[in-house]
Amino acid sequence: MTDGRIQAVAFDAAGTLLRLREPVGETYSRFAKTHGVDVPAGRLDESFARVFRAAPPNLHAGEPIWRSEALERAWWHDRVRETFRSADQMVRFDEFDLFFAEVWDHYAGAGAWELAAGTREALTSISKSGRLLAVLSNFDHRLRPLLASFELADFFEAITTPADAGAAKPDRRIFDVCLKRLGLGGHRVAYVGDDPSDDHEGAQLAGLHPIDVTRFSSLTELPAALDALEKELE
């Protein structure tokens, strides 16, 4: 019989710990109207999904942090512009850069986000069980202050993003950086996320135990799922 102890739990951020308060298209449309641009929210939602799916990773390996942050912002600038062009090729902003700066700042703050149901309770319970906690996300450099704005940052032993690792999920290198920071092998770590490729397949290939957050109605169900996983691994 093997020791199936799960010693740490790492989480995806957006879609797992944090949820958008409204669809991206609604936000883009609302901000655009203040700049005299009227594109339906539904059309922008569809366009954003296409653009985001086809985009290269927001990854800038080998760059210093200060440069990486500027490049991450520029990556999003291009994606937002592409979203509007894809939704309506005739759309024109008088001051697109000003519009983008407002949208960028909005998503950097807690006003754009809400905690997934049961997040704080689950983190508290898991921490009290003696397990370490971490965040492993493809989010950009806005993640750390965003977690701090929800008073979550102190829960985590490590917060790992592509800028830290020089790699993005599902590349196992970003998982390896997180594991090194935790000081644990993947067989001791569960990874909680919502994306089948980036989160579930990526974690499994890196040797972690993936847990699909979409199976829960609330993250308060996670501690029991971790206990059940340990029993399976014994």
Side-chain angles (χ1 to χ4, degrees):
M1 181 177 294
T2 61
D3 178 5
R5 174 72 173 160
I6 298 296
Q7 295 180 323
V9 184
F11 294 85
D12 174 43
T16 299
L17 295 174
L18 303 171
R19 307 282 173 86
L20 288 172
R21 291 185 183 272
E22 64 181 2
V24 170
E26 289 186 22
T27 300
Y28 285 8
S29 180
R30 178 163 51 83
F31 275 80
K33 285 177 182 176
T34 68
H35 290 265
V37 173
D38 190 1
V39 182
R43 190 184 302 171
L44 286 167
D45 245 349
E46 294 173 359
S47 177
F48 175 77
R50 289 194 302 271
V51 166
F52 191 79
R53 187 165 51 245
N58 192 359
L59 176 63
H60 312 284
E63 297 286 352
I65 290 295
W66 66 269
R67 175 68 175 153
S68 180
E69 290 181 358
L71 291 171
E72 287 176 347
R73 190 181 192 278
W75 185 94
W76 274 109
H77 183 281
D78 290 346
R79 302 293 83 75
V80 177
R81 186 183 288 278
E82 288 171 10
T83 294
F84 277 88
R85 286 177 174 170
S86 176
D88 185 346
Q89 293 185 358
M90 301 302 292
V91 71
R92 294 292 185 273
F93 283 84
D94 290 336
E95 295 183 275
F96 180 82
D97 288 352
L98 177 58
F99 159 76
F100 172 75
E102 294 171 355
V103 171
W104 171 266
D105 289 344
H106 173 70
Y107 283 114
W113 304 88
E114 61 187 6
L115 293 182
T119 292
R120 200 176 303 279
E121 295 87 344
L123 295 178
T124 299
S125 175
I126 296 168
S127 181
K128 287 182 177 179
S129 75
R131 299 182 176 104
L132 299 176
L133 297 170
V135 173
L136 167 56
S137 170
N138 281 353
F139 215 105
D140 54 58
H141 65 273
R142 293 172 290 179
L143 179 58
R144 287 179 175 85
L146 183 58
L147 292 172
S149 71
F150 281 102
E151 299 183 344
L152 294 184
D154 288 345
F155 277 106
F156 302 113
E157 185 76 15
I159 298 173
T160 304
T161 66
D164 303 310
K169 296 182 299 182
D171 191 320
R172 74 166 295 152
R173 288 176 294 174
I174 192 171
F175 290 93
D176 288 342
V177 169
C178 180
L179 293 174
K180 184 176 181 179
R181 290 175 168 181
L182 291 171
L184 294 170
H187 65 294
R188 298 295 189 189
V189 181
Y191 185 72
V192 184
D194 65 307
D195 186 271
S197 175
D198 283 357
D199 298 335
H200 310 153
E201 183 178 341
Q204 189 167 34
L205 290 174
L208 292 77
H209 303 284
I211 295 179
D212 183 1
V213 73
T214 65
R215 67 189 255 205
F216 304 131
S217 60
S218 166
L219 277 173
T220 55
E221 300 171 31
L222 178 57
L226 291 169
D227 293 340
L229 175 61
E230 285 190 340
K231 290 182 179 179
E232 292 177 11
L233 297 173
E234 288 179 351

